[in-house]
Amino acid sequence: MSRIEQLIGEIEEYIDTCKYQALSNNTKIIVNKEELEELLVELRLRVPDEIKQYQKIISNQDAILKEARYQADNMIQEATAQTNDLVNEHEIMQRAYSTANQVVEDAQIQAQSIIEAAINDANNIRQGAIQYTDDMLRNLQSIVLGTMEGAQGRFDAFMSTLQSTCDVVANNRNELVQDMTPQVTEEEMTPAG
């Protein structure tokens, strides 16, 4: 298990241990920002190392192909040397041509098979590295989106509390304004006669 997978596991465990926010229907949690940020910082630092490691594996594809070509060239050289030896012997020239051609053909088939196997192996390694990197980035994206949703929920609750407080203040001011309006008595309303 890579360090990135361990970090993602630690973040998931941390999230599972967080307390639920009151009145949130168990959908919002309270997190320690510093702890979560520390885990995310370490995750960010580890991702480039893992990607470099897989790029190194992919770059080994060239070495595998080079080795396969080297072996193929050696086989062809050996086949060619055998062909030259057989051709030099006059009595068995016809048989030598036939055998030499078969050796060269077999060597070419084997060399092509080695090259194709090396290319397939290199492509499989590359696909695996790309898939692994994509899985790690998908997990990281999921964690970041979860963190953003949690933060949005806390922000919405904060704004709701501020709005309630603002409404109370407005109501109190309205009551004060009503108290400041002069009260007219019934006697003042009756015309003098």
Side-chain angles (χ1 to χ4, degrees), residues 12 14 20 39 51 61 70 89 104 124 176 190-191:
E12 289 172 341
Y14 174 72
Y20 287 105
L39 291 170
I51 291 173
Q61 170 183 338
Y70 175 77
E89 298 175 24
V104 168
N124 288 340
L176 285 175
T190 306

Side-chain angles (χ1 to χ4, degrees), residues 79-141:
T80 302
Q82 286 179 352
T83 302
N84 289 338
D85 290 342
L86 292 173
V87 168
N88 288 336
E89 298 175 24
H90 183 50
E91 306 90 41
I92 54 172
M93 187 177 283
Q94 291 302 323
R95 197 173 60 175
Y97 275 124
S98 175
T99 303
N101 286 337
Q102 187 61 47
V103 168
V104 168
E105 185 178 313
D106 289 346
Q108 288 174 338
I109 289 170
Q110 192 174 3
Q112 185 61 36
S113 175
I114 290 170
I115 289 171
E116 288 173 3
I119 289 171
N120 284 339
D121 288 346
N123 285 337
N124 288 340
I125 290 169
R126 182 178 180 274
Q127 278 303 113
I130 289 170
Q131 183 62 46
Y132 176 79
T133 303
D134 184 54
D135 289 345
M136 292 297 103
L137 292 175
R138 184 182 322 106
N139 287 339
L140 177 60
Q141 182 181 21

Side-chain angles (χ1 to χ4, degrees), residues 13 17 39 42 48-49 53 59 65 72 78-79 111 131 135 165 176 185:
E13 285 177 18
T17 61
L39 291 170
E42 186 173 354
D49 290 341
Q53 189 176 23
S59 69
L65 291 174
E78 288 175 18
Q131 183 62 46
D135 289 345
T165 303
L176 285 175
T185 63

